[in-house]
Amino acid sequence: MAVKRVSILGSTGSVGTQTLDLVAENPKNYALVALIGGRNVALLAEQAKRFRPQITVIADEALLPELRAALAGEGLESGGGREAVLAAAALPAEWTMAAITGVAGLEPTLAAVQHGGTIAFANKEALVSAGDVFLRAVKAAGATLLPVDSEHNAIMQAMADGNGRAVEKIVLTASGGPFRNHTLDEMRGITREAALKHPVWSMGAKISIDSATMFNKGLEIIEAARLFDLPSSKIDVLVHPQSVIHGMVCYSDGSVLAQLGSPDMRIPIAHALAWPGRLTTQAPKLDLVEVAKLEFSAPDEARFPALRLAREALTAGHGAPTVLNAANEVAVAAFLERRIGFLDIAAIVEAVMQRLGAPAVDDLGAVLALDLAAREAATQLATARAA
């Protein structure tokens, strides 16, 4: 296997660190071009010393002196701030992990697309907030997109035979989060600490809250529609608490192909990292005897309105998904800061969607302008609810 040049956007996050774990297990196969982190200087410096990339960048420019001090004497190039992030992301690499959470990852991911390599993306927002803009850029550059979300990666694997026209529908599974059995009244009192305790997956704070509200699944519906060119009517969601089946493809002949695996993000990351080959990983192997049973149920959109809102945004098109994503990011941040309640998250998103509608977004500037307008509207509503 030839050495693959790799860049990791969001190297200090959950997906980034697990990607580096896989690189470390296969050191002869990969060489690091760029490591880009957010604010965790200590971890980023540790990663740089271990993997010795061409450049190491911290997104918060104010932390660059601290990063350079941590790397003193190592002979490693470093940078900080938006321009440094974009320049590092644009460096030629055969494979890039796009794992910067939120719309902050949009510009760096687009910068990485320009060199036409393979983009493994865990950043939903590229396809949700700027779907048309992003896909046009991918096509123009001749880049290859590989989904890292376990659900979309599962669908990709189940559609590997290329019979896309025979697909009747796809099914994205959801664990249901920590509150799948809570009543609506019980959900009113949900705390930050309870929402962060996901029963199955180990994820960052924002994604954990999105799982608890099921906004992550709503975003995944939009992402799947863009990625697999399917209407909302052909994308189903099933609650599957064991998180063993990650996605299913239902074909016109009655066949249903499902991808199974232990709930460990290293599995879909490894699939993307080695594609079209396979890696041997240390992820736990699935033991169906130990699992014993698999449960499924339809999601309750009364308790989890995020699914309805996502489908409404997908149907409305244009900038509606941009609005949904931006409002959700602001509302989640307000919940994590204890300024609003758990059920306020969806309420704020719906109010912002009603206020801003679905204006056209034909380029990156329009996407970012609408994103900002949605954030401002969501901030106003969150402040009013906190008063």
Side-chain angles (χ1 to χ4, degrees):
M1 180 175 179
V3 174
K4 187 180 292 186
R5 289 167 53 80
V6 169
S7 287
I8 302 180
L9 319 184
S11 69
T12 57
S14 175
V15 170
T17 55
Q18 290 179 86
T19 303
L20 286 174
D21 286 344
L22 292 168
V23 170
E25 291 172 13
N26 301 271
K28 295 181 180 179
N29 295 341
Y30 305 101
L32 270 294
V33 175
L35 290 178
I36 299 174
R39 293 182 52 83
N40 191 334
V41 175
L43 179 55
L44 183 60
E46 178 185 322
Q47 291 174 342
K49 291 175 184 177
R50 182 177 185 185
F51 294 97
R52 306 195 69 79
Q54 184 177 328
I55 188 167
T56 304
V57 177
I58 189 91
D60 187 340
E61 191 169 6
L63 296 174
L64 180 56
E66 186 178 342
L67 175 63
R68 284 183 169 159
L71 296 178
E74 292 289 335
L76 295 169
E77 185 178 350
S78 58
R82 175 179 174 273
E83 294 303 320
V85 167
L86 296 181
L91 290 172
E94 293 162 276
W95 190 92
T96 299
M97 170 57 79
I100 298 175
T101 302
V103 81
L106 178 55
E107 282 190 282
T109 303
L110 280 170
V113 164
Q114 302 308 312
H115 56 65
T118 296
I119 309 297
F121 63 100
N123 178 312
K124 295 180 178 67
E125 291 73 18
L127 280 173
V128 173
S129 293
D132 292 339
V133 173
F134 183 66
L135 291 175
R136 282 201 305 269
V138 168
K139 184 176 181 180
T144 299
L145 288 183
L146 298 179
V148 172
D149 275 345
S150 61
E151 297 82 2
H152 300 88
N153 183 268
I155 299 300
M156 175 188 169
Q157 293 194 52
M159 292 176 70
D161 62 1
N163 287 312
R165 291 184 179 179
V167 173
E168 286 197 340
K169 69 176 181 178
I170 64 173
V171 180
L172 307 176
T173 59
S175 70
F179 312 124
R180 63 185 177 87
N181 294 321
H182 280 47
T183 66
L184 198 57
D185 282 341
E186 289 173 331
M187 292 171 76
R188 298 183 197 284
I190 287 170
T191 64
R192 176 186 189 275
E193 289 73 20
L196 287 172
K197 291 180 180 178
H198 195 280
V200 180
W201 296 95
S202 175
M203 305 176 292
K206 197 270 183 181
I207 300 175
S208 294
I209 302 303
D210 280 349
S211 179
T213 61
M214 290 196 75
F215 261 108
N216 71 321
K217 211 53 54 178
L219 295 174
E220 286 170 11
I221 290 171
I222 299 172
E223 186 181 359
R226 306 286 197 204
L227 188 60
F228 302 113
D229 193 23
L230 294 171
S232 174
S233 60
K234 288 193 172 186
I235 305 171
D236 280 358
V237 172
L238 277 180
V239 175
H240 169 46
Q242 292 80 21
S243 294
V244 166
I245 295 178
H246 304 295
M248 294 178 274
V249 178
C250 305
Y251 287 96
S252 56
D253 63 0
S255 297
V256 179
L257 299 188
Q259 188 270 344
L260 288 73
S262 297
D264 189 312
M265 277 302 297
R266 288 175 296 177
I267 296 173
I269 294 170
H271 177 260
L273 185 60
W275 184 88
R278 294 275 180 174
L279 277 182
T280 298
T281 77
Q282 301 303 311
K285 301 302 185 285
L286 180 62
D287 184 339
L288 288 174
V289 173
E290 183 178 341
V291 174
K293 66 177 181 177
L294 302 177
E295 302 170 277
F296 304 93
S297 62
D300 182 350
E301 294 191 6
R303 290 183 299 129
F304 298 99
L307 297 174
R308 170 180 58 83
L309 294 174
R311 291 191 187 277
E312 289 176 2
L314 179 58
T315 300
H318 301 295
T322 310
V323 172
L324 174 132
N325 178 73
N328 179 59
E329 283 193 26
V330 170
V332 168
F335 173 72
L336 287 170
E337 294 166 4
R338 308 178 198 278
R339 294 190 287 114
I340 63 171
F342 184 76
L343 295 183
D344 289 330
I345 296 173
I348 287 171
V349 173
E350 184 163 20
V352 175
M353 289 175 64
Q354 291 172 349
R355 181 183 299 185
L356 297 184
V361 283
D362 297 325
D363 54 34
L364 180 58
V367 170
L368 295 177
L370 182 58
D371 176 86
L372 179 60
R375 288 174 188 278
E376 290 174 345
T379 298
Q380 291 172 5
L381 291 167
T383 300
R385 285 176 178 263

